[in-house]
Structure formats: C-alpha cells, structure tokens
Amino acid sequence: TVVDLTRALAGPHAGMMLGDLGARVIKVETPGKGDDTRGWGPPFVGPDGDIATYFLSCNRNKESVTLDLKSEQGKAALTELIRRSDVLMENFRPGVLERLGFLGLTLDPHRNEERSGQARRIDSGEVLPAVLVVPTNEEWAIARHAVETART
C-alpha cells in the first residue's frame, strides 16, 4: 500500500505510475476542497463539470481520502494509514511533516523486517515504511541523464 501525500505534477504522476503497476495507492486530500489541482482548468469534466482534467490525468488508479492533518483526528488517521503502508510519498517543503507532528512515528518493526529490506530507520531507531520523496522535474532530468550516460 502506498500513502500519497503529494501535490502538483511530479508526485501525483509517480503515484499514478505505481497504481498503474498494480499498487494500492491512497491519496490524502484536504477536506472541503480536495487536492488543489481539482480546480486547475479548464478543461473541466464530470457530472457537474467541476473536475479538472489535469487532476484526472495524474491521479487515476488511486483511492482518495480527505484528512485534516492539523486536527488530532486527522493526525491519528494518517498515522494509522502510514503504519499499515509500505510506501509513504510526500513532496512537502522541508520540515512540514515535522511541524505537523509526523517525525517520531512508532511502527511495528516486525511487520517491516519481514520485507526485503525496504524499511528505513530514522534517528530514534524506529522502523518506517520506505519513504519516497518525489524529485522535481530538474532532478528527474539529472537522474535520466545519469542513467543514459551510464548506459553508453
């Protein structure tokens, strides 16, 4: 299971590709308005003509849940989602997850140790699911260049 906290193009697109490959991807959106890109249009589609095709173009094959990450109930729900996940994707500015209170999560180490080394340890020694920090378009270009150079 992949928990997708990403916004804008690169992150949602990466999550969509994981969904296309068969992963269960759970996208976390803001209550009341959802992901900001739902309103990025035109063009818009849907029964009420209010969903941006931009949003749909990079969020297929995902389940969606709305959580207020600043409320205790939202934090508890996200914490449980992360505990049960294999991958956490996020592209917040540095420090945002810490400010929201998600740095010191305590997860079940036995669940993660059964995997093939994909768990990631943080300073406190706790085991987290693998964390995918989605790169910017420039970082993708650098990575592609490095791969292409290595092939030649």
Side-chain angles (χ1 to χ4, degrees), residues 29-45:
E29 299 187 57
T30 306
K33 64 176 186 171
D35 186 287
D36 289 338
T37 62
R38 286 181 180 271
W40 289 7
F44 294 98
V45 295

Side-chain angles (χ1 to χ4, degrees), residues 96-110:
V96 170
L97 279 183
E98 292 175 37
R99 267 196 320 277
L100 291 171
F102 293 104
L103 181 61
L105 293 175
T106 304
L107 302 175
D108 179 2
H110 301 293

Side-chain angles (χ1 to χ4, degrees), residues 38 43-53 55-56:
R38 286 181 180 271
F44 294 98
V45 295
D48 299 323
D50 61 346
I51 302 173
T53 56
F55 172 82
L56 296 175

Side-chain angles (χ1 to χ4, degrees), residues 107-126:
L107 302 175
D108 179 2
H110 301 293
R111 179 177 183 277
N112 287 309
E113 286 173 1
E114 293 171 3
R115 299 190 191 134
S116 58
Q118 295 179 16
R120 182 176 176 185
R121 293 195 180 273
I122 58 175
D123 293 340
S124 65
E126 297 166 357

